Amino acid sequence: MRKFLLAATAAALVQLGLVGAAGANTLRYASAGDIYGLDPHSMTDSFSINFLLHVYEPLVRYNKELKIEPALAVSWEVVKPDVIRYKLRQGVKFHDGSDFTADDVVMSLMRATDDKSPIKGNLPALKSAETVDDYTVDLHLSGPTPLLNNYLTNIAIFDAQWLEKNGAVKPVNAELGEEGYTTTHANGTGPFKLESRRPDAQTVLVANEAWWEKPEHNLTKVVHTPISSDATRVAALLSGEVDIITPSPLQDAKRIAGSPGTKVLESPGLRTIMMNFNMRDKLVDGNVEGNPFRDVRVRKAVYQAINMDLVRDKIMRGKSRNAGMQIAPEVPGFDEKLNRRFPYDPAAAKALLTEAGYPNGFQFNMNCPNDAYVNDEEVCQAMTAMLAQVGLNAKLVTEARTLHFKKAQEGQTDMFMIGWATLPMLDGFSVLSAMLHSPEDKLGTWNPGDYKNAKVDELTKKIDVELDEAKRRQMMIEAFGITEEEVAWLPLHQQPLSWAVRDNVEVVQTADDLLRLWYTRIK
Amino acid sequence: MLVFLVRRLLQAVMVMLAVAFIAFLMFRYLGDPVNNIVSQDATQEQREEVRKRLRLDDPLILQYGRFVVNAAQGDFGVSYRNSRPVSALLAERFPATAELVLVAAILSLALGIPLGIYTALKPRGVLSQGLQILSLVGISLPTFVTGILLILVFSVWLGWLPSFGRGDVIDIGWWWTGFLTATGLKALILPSFMLCLFQLTLIMRLVRAEMLEVLRADYIKFARARGLRNRTIHFRHALKNTLIPVVTIFGLQLGGLIAFAIITETVFQWPGMGALFIQAVNFTDVPVMAAYLVMVSLLFVIINTSVDLLYNVIDPRLRTDQTRATGRGA
């Protein structure tokens, strides 16, 4: 009898434990990795920054359609091309109760763009910020900056007094070996407050009752756990221990969809996967004189030798979206006409190679990551086989991303794979400035293949400072038209986003693969 | 005795220096941490700046030297990923790993020894045969497969046990424990079982083999002839002599438990040092990797030394040998 009682008590405790963990409107959220720390100014990882932007807020933010909307700023106007005035929201309070004013904005922006700040590249044009009155701030820029608001979506606003009180006015200086106060503490204005955090185990947020906006979400608490193993993450969802997982592995989609109480959310993401061509004087690992890739016919032959429909249907399980452009449809600069791919046509590819003087093809090396994108290695293996059919011998090397991107950037490859989501900028200019402009100063940082076109360079520089949005887009489309005609890069597809949730959870899945909990509801 | 300890201490230092050196040689093949630190479209200038700040361009030997000098003063540097001192990160993760390994070690002994005895005493029993087959499975299946199977059965199908994490934990000073809550104890079951499975089967098979051997020995026959009860023979005479090799193997395997904890912690998202290490490898977080490897090598030396000391306690014959040997050495 006593044994039985003991067992019964234990069982009851177990039950209590399980029920207590769930609670009313608690969202249990598991992602593949943990945030790096609590200071959104100390890292460039977009997952971490997005998570922290539930606690802290930016001046402007992206909405469900990834359009910019007011957050801590209510309106903005161009005073001069290089001075923008922001009107701030009144009556906003930080989680510790202090008021939000212009001083907070000025100090936060200066902190983010400090010489020692790891994220100063996220707000490149800012020279200084000045208080006009308690709720007005002027931003002085180095020149006209059409994408200023896009940059600002990623810059969290801190409380100036709180920073001063805790000796954190300057960004965390990691080299000194000191632990920054802001790495382990948080005080923002956002829809959620930090309740507790154990790195790599659990971060708990609670709803901010005093938030300035009438919440669309109905959550009272968010418990975030990183679960790095795919299988465990899926198991945690299926066993009812978590309510949402990001990402949900593609190969488990059927199983999750087939299980009672869970469903999979899939949509094409922003990240466009593409291949770069080495257009320098010589191939890294070739068997012919010079560099055949300098000839547009050869690049086009490679393009037309690759059957992306097959890749989509067989490798990506029908979930990817083939791309003709280097940017996704959500990104400004996109054009439906330009997004049409050159047709798959091995015969035409062979003809082009013959025309260019390589009837028997040639050899070159091709580098792909094996842990960076969805099925990245498989896609590259398939491409190698397809290229072989037109006589091209691509020597494939696949390796971890830390090795891959180093080699790619140092120009040790003839063709390499990269995915580009244009974040945090969310604009076609990101691709033009980093991947298509010829390498020069801050431009062309991801153009190791050395693609050069004077007209594209000229357009890119104009786009950088054009404040008229319609004109700017027109110029972007013109520039992309040129680079596609010249097959500057080989775009492949947008890889699918895949999340999975319990049936009672309503979330908005935006193409940038970031979960915005202030739109999340539990039924 | 003192000489023995001092010698071991010197050995430990050498081992740690060597491990750190080999680690630094290998880090070069892990790739470039800079790409993980800056944003994707960072300029060359920004990359160079980070590289300079982290002194990644220094020759290998200089980086190694700096690490050793700082480590000797207890400073393991700052994690590239978390911007926090590595020593703080490791201290924070240590309790989780320690509790997991402790439970796994106890489980492997508490289950392995009785099962080994049982299968030795009843070698032809159906249960014994079954256990033998199961132990083969346990010894040959990769641990991550067993881990995922355990999750599938006990978390997804039966819903009895959690599939990840430590459950509710309680802070006691800097230590945080899962031993004091129901969810914490439940969370320990699957990972510790997965971790101990290999050791458990090894110990069981070892005890069985040794026991069978001992039971054939003359002094057991003599004991039987004396008319001693079976229980006395088995547990007082046979078992004691079985345990010496078990201690050796267990000691060696304890290090293995800490090493295998990396896999267990990854599968069960156990927030311990192993998970931290894997994360560091993915990020090329050199300071964390180096500190972890050095620490684990220190643990190995400590465990092996303790095992050697334990021999002396268990086996009187070794004790005299040892004293004679050290006596000569001194």
Side-chain angles (χ1 to χ4, degrees):
Chain A
M1 188 62 201
R2 254 182 79 188
K3 256 193 185 153
F4 169 75
L5 273 180
L6 263 175
T9 324
L13 276 176
V14 164
Q15 288 298 323
L16 276 175
L18 280 177
V19 176
N25 287 358
T26 294
L27 184 82
R28 295 157 306 164
Y29 164 32
S31 62
D34 196 17
I35 54 174
Y36 292 3
L38 286 174
D39 186 342
H41 288 180
S42 73
M43 59 192 85
T44 58
D45 175 58
S46 59
F47 173 80
S48 300
I49 293 181
N50 175 68
F51 188 88
L52 293 171
L53 288 182
H54 289 90
V55 177
Y56 292 97
E57 284 178 297
L59 288 178
V60 291
R61 67 181 183 199
Y62 289 120
N63 64 10
K64 291 176 199 174
E65 283 83 41
L66 293 181
K67 300 274 181 296
I68 285 169
E69 65 174 15
L72 287 180
V74 285
S75 65
W76 46 91
E77 55 174 337
V78 180
V79 181
K80 281 190 286 176
D82 56 354
V83 180
I84 317 290
R85 175 161 297 176
Y86 284 84
K87 286 275 177 207
L88 305 180
R89 197 174 291 280
Q90 305 198 9
V92 175
K93 283 196 186 305
F94 283 93
H95 296 159
D96 70 352
S98 54
D99 291 316
F100 162 73
T101 63
D103 293 339
D104 301 320
V105 175
V106 171
M107 184 174 283
S108 302
L109 294 182
M110 294 331 281
R111 185 176 193 266
T113 53
D114 188 277
D115 261 350
K116 286 246 165 11
S117 165
I119 60 158
K120 71 174 174 197
N122 284 1
L123 193 53
L126 186 76
K127 275 194 341 204
S128 66
E130 273 170 28
T131 310
V132 178
D133 61 49
D134 264 3
Y135 295 100
T136 313
V137 175
D138 277 353
L139 266 55
H140 295 262
L141 310 169
S142 53
T145 311
L147 294 174
L148 180 64
N149 276 339
N150 301 43
Y151 291 122
L152 286 174
T153 57
N154 252 277
I155 309 291
I157 303 299
F158 284 78
D159 180 6
Q161 285 142 12
W162 183 76
L163 286 178
E164 273 168 0
K165 197 173 74 192
N166 296 300
V169 175
K170 290 276 167 194
V172 176
N173 193 347
E175 309 100 284
L176 291 183
E178 60 193 23
E179 213 163 321
Y181 186 78
T182 48
T183 313
T184 46
H185 298 79
N187 175 34
T189 57
F192 294 92
K193 294 192 268 194
L194 178 81
E195 188 181 83
S196 67
R197 168 168 163 77
R198 275 187 200 282
D200 293 321
Q202 202 177 62
T203 306
V204 181
L205 305 179
V206 290
N208 175 12
E209 302 295 337
W211 194 31
W212 51 268
E213 192 175 13
K214 189 177 174 299
E216 197 180 318
H217 74 85
N218 66 353
L219 309 176
T220 48
K221 196 172 182 181
V222 176
V223 179
H224 171 255
T225 316
I227 303 183
S228 55
S229 153
D230 279 348
T232 312
R233 200 161 58 248
V234 172
L237 179 78
L238 293 179
S239 64
E241 290 165 86
V242 298
D243 302 309
I244 174 165
I245 58 172
T246 66
S248 162
L250 273 192
Q251 68 270 18
D252 289 318
K254 266 199 186 132
R255 190 164 150 236
I256 294 171
S259 302
T262 54
K263 63 184 175 195
V264 179
L265 306 171
E266 278 170 335
S267 60
L270 282 185
R271 194 170 295 282
T272 306
I273 309 298
M274 51 191 122
M275 303 296 293
N276 174 265
F277 292 108
N278 166 13
M279 290 179 226
R280 297 176 303 267
D281 295 337
K282 267 199 191 125
L283 284 179
V284 174
D285 189 7
N287 60 354
V288 287
E289 280 292 300
N291 184 348
F293 286 134
R294 291 172 73 97
D295 188 331
V296 63
R297 289 170 297 191
V298 174
R299 300 198 294 271
K300 201 168 171 193
V302 172
Y303 194 136
Q304 294 203 285
I306 289 167
N307 184 350
M308 283 312 290
D309 288 349
L310 197 65
V311 170
R312 179 189 57 209
D313 296 340
K314 294 295 172 211
I315 299 177
M316 306 303 283
R317 297 174 197 237
K319 301 288 166 49
S320 61
R321 178 171 59 199
N322 289 345
M325 284 192 83
Q326 286 172 271
I327 51 175
E330 292 83 355
V331 180
F334 178 82
D335 182 71
E336 196 55 57
K337 267 195 270 144
L338 287 178
N339 201 39
R340 261 182 247 138
R341 290 181 62 85
F342 292 120
Y344 164 64
D345 189 345
K350 268 207 98 89
L352 279 167
L353 282 175
T354 312
E355 209 183 303
Y358 302 98
N360 299 317
F362 58 95
Q363 169 196 308
F364 56 94
N365 75 7
M366 179 156 116
N367 286 62
C368 292
N370 57 20
D371 60 351
Y373 311 116
V374 180
N375 296 336
D376 39 14
E377 190 170 11
E378 290 83 351
V379 171
C380 287
Q381 282 162 347
M383 282 198 293
T384 314
M386 291 169 187
L387 290 173
Q389 284 176 1
V390 299
L392 291 169
N393 178 14
K395 291 169 69 185
L396 178 64
V397 177
T398 60
E399 50 201 346
R401 57 171 180 262
T402 40
L403 291 165
H404 171 76
F405 289 117
K406 185 173 191 313
K407 273 192 190 168
Q409 190 142 45
E410 287 172 354
Q412 295 177 32
T413 65
D414 292 325
M415 257 180 107
F416 72 83
M417 179 185 261
I418 189 171
W420 203 264
T422 75
L423 295 172
M425 208 188 283
L426 203 70
D427 192 88
F429 178 69
S430 165
V431 169
L432 285 168
S433 62
M435 313 178 102
L436 292 167
H437 194 285
S438 50
E440 168 195 320
D441 197 21
K442 288 184 177 172
L443 295 161
T445 51
W446 264 108
N447 182 8
D450 211 18
Y451 168 75
K452 277 195 187 104
N453 182 304
K455 180 71 183 162
V456 173
D457 287 4
E458 184 198 324
L459 280 167
T460 304
K461 284 190 180 118
K462 275 195 196 154
I463 292 162
D464 190 16
V465 293
E466 179 56 63
L467 290 174
D468 181 331
E469 185 59 19
K471 265 194 205 157
R472 209 176 66 83
R473 290 197 185 194
Q474 203 43 54
M475 284 194 287
M476 285 204 277
I477 290 171
E478 189 187 342
F480 281 126
I482 298 170
T483 59
E484 280 190 41
E485 206 47 55
E486 296 198 321
V487 198
W489 285 68
L490 166 54
L492 300 177
H493 58 227
Q494 273 101 36
Q495 62 181 21
L497 306 181
S498 176
W499 303 354
V501 296
R502 302 201 62 74
D503 283 343
N504 63 343
V505 177
E506 282 172 30
V507 294
V508 176
Q509 189 176 33
T510 41
D512 58 2
D513 205 10
L514 298 172
L515 176 59
R516 290 174 171 80
L517 292 168
W518 58 89
Y519 296 131
T520 303
R521 294 184 66 83
I522 292 184
K523 277 183 285 193
Chain B
M1 184 69 169
L2 193 66
V3 177
F4 171 73
L5 278 180
V6 169
R7 208 165 49 195
R8 275 309 172 97
L9 202 68
L10 282 176
Q11 273 176 14
V13 173
M14 292 305 291
V15 168
M16 286 194 287
L17 282 176
V19 166
F21 186 70
I22 295 170
F24 268 85
L25 279 180
M26 289 190 314
F27 291 158
R28 286 190 306 165
Y29 300 103
L30 274 176
D32 189 4
V34 173
N35 271 318
N36 293 319
I37 296 169
V38 299
S39 62
Q40 200 179 26
D41 55 355
T43 63
Q44 204 54 40
E45 238 170 285
Q46 285 167 323
R47 283 168 207 276
E48 286 311 315
E49 211 177 279
V50 172
R51 205 180 295 278
K52 219 165 75 193
R53 187 159 57 86
L54 301 176
R55 307 203 211 167
L56 290 171
D57 281 337
D58 289 352
L60 179 74
I61 197 78
L62 207 65
Q63 293 190 35
Y64 171 67
R66 197 162 46 232
F67 173 78
V68 170
V69 170
N70 289 338
Q73 299 162 352
D75 174 13
F76 286 101
V78 175
S79 156
Y80 296 164
R81 181 179 180 274
N82 304 65
S83 314
R84 295 182 57 205
V86 175
S87 40
L89 287 175
L90 283 175
E92 207 171 81
R93 305 300 203 282
F94 180 74
T97 303
E99 290 190 355
L100 179 65
V101 170
L102 180 73
V103 173
I106 292 174
L107 268 183
S108 65
L109 286 180
L111 292 175
I113 296 177
L115 288 177
I117 297 172
Y118 179 80
T119 47
L121 296 182
K122 295 210 166 56
R124 275 177 243 297
V126 180
L127 192 59
S128 292
Q129 303 273 351
L131 281 170
Q132 279 289 95
I133 294 171
L134 268 182
S135 76
L136 257 185
V137 175
I139 221 158
S140 43
L141 260 190
T143 45
F144 65 91
V145 176
T146 15
I148 287 168
L149 279 176
L150 287 174
I151 290 178
L152 188 67
V153 173
F154 291 99
S155 305
V156 179
W157 290 350
L158 297 172
W160 290 351
L161 298 167
S163 56
F164 68 92
R166 288 187 79 188
D168 294 323
V169 287
I170 290 176
D171 290 283
I172 306 172
W174 62 275
W175 192 277
W176 44 308
T177 180
F179 286 156
L180 299 177
T181 61
T183 53
L185 289 172
K186 271 175 65 180
L188 261 167
I189 299 174
L190 290 185
S192 56
F193 186 69
M194 166 185 165
L195 184 58
C196 83
L197 196 62
F198 181 80
Q199 268 71 20
L200 190 160
T201 47
L202 193 72
I203 288 174
M204 174 186 140
R205 295 175 76 86
L206 187 73
V207 169
R208 176 180 177 273
E210 285 293 323
M211 194 89 173
L212 285 174
E213 184 98 12
V214 170
L215 285 177
R216 277 196 294 268
D218 287 344
Y219 67 89
I220 297 291
K221 284 183 195 149
F222 182 66
R224 280 193 211 286
R226 273 166 67 201
L228 292 180
R229 279 184 309 168
N230 266 346
R231 240 176 74 184
T232 320
I233 298 174
H234 293 155
F235 293 96
R236 179 144 337 137
H237 297 271
L239 184 60
K240 255 193 184 170
N241 286 298
T242 308
L243 285 183
I244 294 169
V246 173
V247 169
T248 319
I249 293 291
F250 179 73
L252 291 174
Q253 291 295 325
L254 199 57
L257 279 180
I258 296 168
F260 271 116
I262 293 182
I263 300 168
T264 310
E265 287 179 6
T266 312
V267 170
F268 286 96
Q269 194 62 36
W270 194 262
M273 294 189 300
L276 182 73
F277 178 69
I278 287 291
Q279 201 180 70
V281 171
N282 285 331
F283 199 86
T284 329
D285 199 339
V286 172
V288 174
M289 286 188 284
Y292 174 83
L293 291 173
V294 167
M295 225 191 85
V296 167
S297 61
L298 176 68
L299 279 176
F300 262 80
V301 176
I302 291 177
I303 290 167
N304 286 345
T305 310
S306 317
V307 169
D308 286 351
L309 290 176
L310 261 182
Y311 281 165
N312 294 353
V313 178
I314 295 179
D315 194 334
R317 286 168 299 178
L318 286 175
R319 203 179 313 169
T320 44
D321 284 353
Q322 190 63 56
T323 9
R324 222 179 296 143
T326 32
R328 211 181 295 145

